[in-house]
Amino acid sequence: MMVLAALPGQLNAEPLRVGLYENPPKIFRDVDGQPAGFWPEVTEAILSGLGYEFEYIDCEWEACLEMVRQGQLDLMPDVAFSEERAEQFQYINEALIYSWSTIVTSQEVEIASLADFEGKRIAVLANSIQERDLRRVLREEGMKSKLIWTSSVQGAIDAIMVGDADMAITNTFFAVQMAEENSLRIPELPFQVNSYHYVVPPDAPRSFVQAMNLASYRQQMTFGSEFHSAEYEWISFHKAPPPRWLVTVLIVAFSVLLLSGGLILILRRVVRARTSDLATTVGALSAEMDLRKKAEKFALETQKFDAIGRLVGGVAHDFNNLLSVIMGNLELVKDQGGLDAASLKFTDQALSATKRGAKLSYDLLSFGRRAQLVPQVLRIDLVLRGIEEMLRRTLPENIFVEFTYGSHVKAVLLDQGQLENAILNLVLNARDAMPDGGKLTLSVSNLRSDQIDDGERLTDEVVVSVADTGVGIKEDALSKVFEPFFTTKEFNKGSGMGLAMVHGFVTQSGGKIRLRSVWGQGTTVELRFPATLEIADQAAASDISAGLLGDERVLLVEDDADVRKALSQRLSTSGFRVTEARDGTEALELIKVAPEFDLLVTDQTMPGPIQGMDLAHQVREALGEIPIVILTGYGTDALDSFAGLSKFTLLNKPVIGPVLISKIRSLLDS
């Protein structure tokens, strides 16, 4: 990464490390051992133009990808795009090649449609894009074929030649030439189109990625560039020119024949060929534009959700601090007693409003995947059975509800409360979609790994399905249903946070959410969670006691003066001796003066160099195994930093007074 961090043209910068593997005619070493093919020519033009020196590192295909993932290669060309790989690398957005996968068969095998794949032995390069697409097609069409994995494209062709395979699926660039050389057939059935890009390590500087994007775009948009020369030489298919002796014979023959007729014939052929090439180019350009529009739409949706997630995280932090002050002071007023009935009513109404505000903040955090989750091993069918009666009571009599459970449902790792809340939100949405009555079906079942759409997943999943026969969702609204505050209901009939919260909870829990809807017929929502081999333990949680007191010394660290005062008053009224600090630096100075604290309560995000996680570790070094309570308004952003710590808990702001005291008492008594 130090190489990428250097400015283009820097004299003392180390050369970039570029991956090179054998994949002719796109990338390979020629007979002299020099890099050749489409990608080396374009790479030389782009990197030289940016002022970078570079060197090629030879490696096998899968080894090259692993080296990029580990940061041992700075750039890897010729990588087909897939969502799974996009999670492991950074793609240069500008695709330089679009290629169809091509079917190659022996002369005896007839392939006219995908149905002819049934029962065939199909050779394919292992772990390639072609293998992924083939598995998806077989699974969607419900066909059974025998896959024969090879380590190279030549190996797939050889499998047909020796009779080990009936057909092969490979990249068009090799298929045409290899089929001609080995007298094989290419059926007129295109298989799948893929885009090929550069990839860089996941932590590569954004400036380098942007520079590569711009340079790739300029290469494609500039007439006569190295990109177009390399594309014509290595990628486009050209018929071999006629031999010189044939040209001579033709010249002699045409000189004998009527010269004018010969010239007209030649001109007609040239016009016909150019017209055909132009039609082919227009078709390819149209297909490429469609693919780019789809890719741009996907990128914009991803950026939009990510930006909204960051926004709600920051808003929730400040909002939760305000709610902490309001809730804390209201609880203190109520605890002091002496209020008349009217004042007590007003106080309870204000507390109820702060709790609703906290719920809204939590829903926003759930959408932004920053909500605090307390996962436990559980079985979803048992959770659903436990809330069956409650769900039935939420539905009117004109809606028939049916619960179905698969046999031996596997355990999952989820926050039970948030799971119940997500199912309730889906049931309420279904109820609102059936104002005139209908049928609601809730089901839980296992989904084996060989049934999962993503062919590279090796773990089983558990599926929760909520299907209704309501009005459905119009097609133009399907892309917006997971956005916060978007709703198709009438004014004041819904907040628009239900599906957004469900989407955030499922994604944060490592699952997937899928929604299918037909206008006028109904909607089905599926929640898919990875199964776990751990044994489910769904014992009910103990009630929170609000009467626990103490007299221990507590070090309270909070940068917001109002929040700090409210927390200090709450702890003091419960008997604790509180020492306040504005930030981590002041807290460490207090520990040096009087290191006799029994517990640390600190905010996670504070001004200055010492954050909550840093302070916790430094306090542990100074005071030993002192209990620690972290308060955060951002959700669980810091939870992984405390993995393995004993006598530790993380609480979301605003925290109810009895909950805070109960957690503190539990830590001190453990």
Side-chain angles (χ1 to χ4, degrees), residues 324-325 328-329 332 561-571:
S324 295
V325 176
N329 284 285
L332 290 171
D562 293 332
V563 176
R564 185 171 66 249
K565 183 176 180 181
L567 288 172
S568 178
Q569 290 174 337
R570 163 54 63 185
L571 293 171

Side-chain angles (χ1 to χ4, degrees), residues 39-94:
W39 285 102
E41 291 189 13
V42 177
T43 303
E44 167 70 22
I46 290 177
L47 295 183
S48 298
L50 293 176
Y52 282 102
E53 295 183 358
F54 65 98
E55 61 181 1
Y56 284 103
I57 306 297
D58 292 277
C59 49
E60 295 293 332
W61 167 247
E62 293 187 2
C64 285
L65 291 183
E66 184 60 27
M67 292 172 70
V68 177
R69 191 181 297 111
Q70 299 295 332
Q72 298 172 1
L73 287 179
D74 303 307
L75 188 67
M76 179 65 188
D78 197 31
V79 180
F81 178 84
S82 71
E83 294 182 2
E84 296 79 16
R85 290 175 180 168
E87 296 176 354
Q88 304 174 30
F89 317 102
Q90 291 191 70
Y91 272 86
I92 302 306
N93 293 339
E94 289 297 326

Side-chain angles (χ1 to χ4, degrees), residues 574-601:
S574 296
F576 294 101
R577 292 172 289 165
V578 182
T579 300
E580 300 179 16
R582 292 187 300 272
D583 52 34
T585 302
E586 183 177 346
L588 292 177
E589 292 296 330
L590 290 173
I591 289 175
K592 292 179 181 179
V593 176
E596 297 179 355
F597 294 102
D598 300 303
L599 179 131
L600 170 67
V601 178

Side-chain angles (χ1 to χ4, degrees), residues 138-153:
L138 294 177
R139 184 169 54 252
E140 291 177 350
E141 299 295 329
M143 297 183 293
K144 294 184 178 179
S145 301
K146 181 179 180 181
L147 270 61
I148 299 174
W149 293 279
T150 65
S151 59
S152 65
V153 176

Side-chain angles (χ1 to χ4, degrees), residues 448-512:
R448 301 192 309 274
S449 58
D450 58 0
Q451 296 175 303
I452 298 174
D453 295 342
D454 182 356
E456 296 186 8
R457 289 289 299 273
L458 300 179
T459 59
D460 295 345
E461 291 182 345
V462 178
V463 182
V464 185
S465 175
V466 180
D468 65 66
T469 59
V471 296
I473 303 173
K474 293 183 179 179
E475 186 174 355
D476 58 354
L478 284 174
S479 62
K480 305 176 183 179
V481 292
F482 295 123
E483 296 181 7
F485 306 114
F486 175 82
T487 179
T488 58
K489 302 175 184 178
E490 298 178 4
F491 182 71
N492 285 336
K493 296 293 185 180
S495 67
M497 283 302 300
L499 282 177
M501 183 279 293
V502 174
H503 181 276
F505 159 68
V506 173
T507 306
Q508 188 177 359
S509 300
K512 298 178 181 177

Side-chain angles (χ1 to χ4, degrees), residues 306-381:
D306 184 60
I308 295 175
R310 290 195 300 269
L311 173 63
V312 300
V315 171
H317 173 261
D318 294 337
F319 189 47
N320 284 335
N321 273 343
L322 295 174
L323 290 175
S324 295
V325 176
I326 298 170
M327 182 180 290
N329 284 285
L330 287 172
E331 287 179 342
L332 290 171
V333 169
K334 187 175 179 180
D335 290 347
Q336 287 177 356
L339 298 177
D340 55 32
S343 299
L344 185 60
K345 177 182 177 181
F346 297 151
T347 304
D348 288 338
Q349 289 177 345
L351 276 171
S352 177
T354 59
K355 291 176 182 178
R356 290 199 301 271
K359 175 63 170 58
L360 174 61
S361 176
Y362 192 91
D363 287 348
L364 288 170
L365 288 170
S366 293
F367 168 77
R369 307 176 193 176
R370 290 170 168 82
Q372 178 179 349
L373 300 181
V374 183
Q376 66 185 74
V377 180
L378 50 81
R379 279 177 45 192
I380 299 180
D381 58 330

Side-chain angles (χ1 to χ4, degrees), residues 393-433:
R393 289 198 301 268
T394 64
L395 300 172
E397 294 182 356
N398 61 353
I399 294 180
F400 174 74
V401 60
E402 179 182 7
F403 293 86
T404 61
Y405 304 100
S407 59
H408 307 293
V409 176
K410 297 188 176 182
V412 294
L413 189 62
L414 293 176
D415 184 310
Q416 180 172 343
Q418 287 304 302
L419 173 63
E420 293 174 350
N421 194 25
I423 294 175
L424 177 60
N425 270 292
L426 296 179
V427 169
L428 293 177
N429 280 349
R431 179 199 64 187
D432 296 339

